[in-house]
Amino acid sequence: FPIRLLYVNWLLTIVVIEKYLYTRFIIFFFNDTATTEIYTLSLHDALRSKRKLYLGGITIPYHLGLSGHSDGDSVLHALIDSLLGACKLKDIGTLFSDKNYKYKNIRSTKLLENVVSLIKSKNYSINNIDINVIAQKPKIKKYKNKMIKVISKIFKINPKQINIKGKTTEKLGIIGKEKAIAAEVIASVIKYDE
């Protein structure tokens, strides 16, 4: 490591399940009060007509939106699953089943608020969040500060603890053909001793 870290164990697991790529990289930092865990997740969703495009908690002007039982916000969905993974609290599909009609077209900001309350009740706090939004179109650059503002407000953390970057696939694959958008999230959380 380029910096000195005190740790006694680490675990790396990679699992591919349908559209999810889970990469679990957990570093346990032991001291008298806290444990830090890091979890990464990649998620992609298909674009379709007659849907608004929600990304990172905001509406983005575009002629296509993302498929989904809720509002289809793949950035917040990946963020939710990453946080739940880091805190070992199941996953988004278990907590907010697409078979439950009350979540039909619900804003993902509401789901994220529920998850933040859950992880705080388990003595976790947000350390840092890093997000890649992978889309050929629309370009994310001019929207990322608005996304950070929305997410930091929900987390009640400094916006500097959140980083969002826009990427393309150089017109390769279904993302390059403007048929899908992907989000990659690295979530770092701290567990405080009870």
Side-chain angles (χ1 to χ4, degrees):
F1 284 87
I3 58 176
R4 294 182 63 189
L5 301 175
L6 296 176
Y7 67 94
V8 296
N9 194 13
W10 64 270
L11 171 66
L12 173 63
T13 307
I14 298 177
V15 183
V16 178
I17 305 176
E18 295 180 351
K19 63 182 179 180
Y20 294 91
L21 170 63
Y22 295 89
T23 307
R24 185 163 188 155
F25 183 41
I26 307 176
I27 306 175
F28 300 94
F29 303 87
F30 288 99
N31 56 33
D32 293 335
T33 58
T35 302
T36 299
E37 297 198 10
I38 301 169
Y39 194 96
T40 74
L41 185 139
S42 176
L43 166 67
H44 72 268
D45 281 307
L47 286 161
R48 71 178 202 188
S49 60
K50 298 180 180 179
R51 291 272 289 184
K52 290 183 179 180
L53 179 59
Y54 295 99
L55 287 173
I58 67 171
T59 307
I60 294 179
Y62 196 56
H63 66 286
L64 300 173
L66 288 165
S67 300
H69 184 68
S70 62
D71 62 7
D73 190 329
S74 60
V75 172
L76 295 193
H77 293 180
L79 177 55
I80 288 169
D81 251 348
S82 185
L83 289 169
L84 292 173
C87 300
K88 299 179 287 294
L89 295 171
K90 300 182 180 179
D91 58 58
I92 190 172
T94 302
L95 295 183
F96 311 110
S97 172
D98 60 6
K99 294 179 174 57
N100 192 329
Y101 191 78
K102 75 177 182 178
Y103 299 125
K104 180 69 174 176
N105 295 321
I106 192 172
R107 289 297 308 276
S108 295
T109 48
K110 296 293 184 184
L111 305 182
L112 184 58
E113 287 170 1
N114 290 341
V115 168
V116 170
S117 295
L118 174 62
I119 66 176
K120 286 183 177 180
S121 74
K122 303 296 183 181
N123 294 318
Y124 287 95
S125 68
I126 309 297
N127 185 23
N128 288 293
I129 301 294
D130 187 67
I131 300 171
N132 284 332
V133 184
I134 307 170
Q136 197 63 42
K137 288 183 181 179
K139 301 301 181 184
I140 301 304
K141 184 177 181 180
K142 64 181 180 179
Y143 302 109
K144 63 182 183 179
N145 287 338
K146 290 182 180 178
M147 294 182 193
I148 290 172
K149 184 177 181 180
V150 168
I151 296 169
S152 64
K153 185 176 181 180
I154 293 172
F155 286 162
K156 295 182 172 60
I157 62 174
N158 192 315
K160 292 182 179 179
Q161 292 172 256
I162 302 170
N163 189 44
I164 297 179
K165 306 179 294 295
K167 307 286 185 182
T168 73
T169 61
E170 302 296 337
K171 299 186 178 181
L172 296 175
I174 59 172
I175 294 175
K177 293 176 182 177
E178 301 173 33
K179 294 182 179 180
I181 289 176
E184 298 174 336
V185 177
I186 302 173
S188 171
V189 299
I190 300 172
K191 174 71 181 289
Y192 292 96
D193 294 341
E194 299 181 13

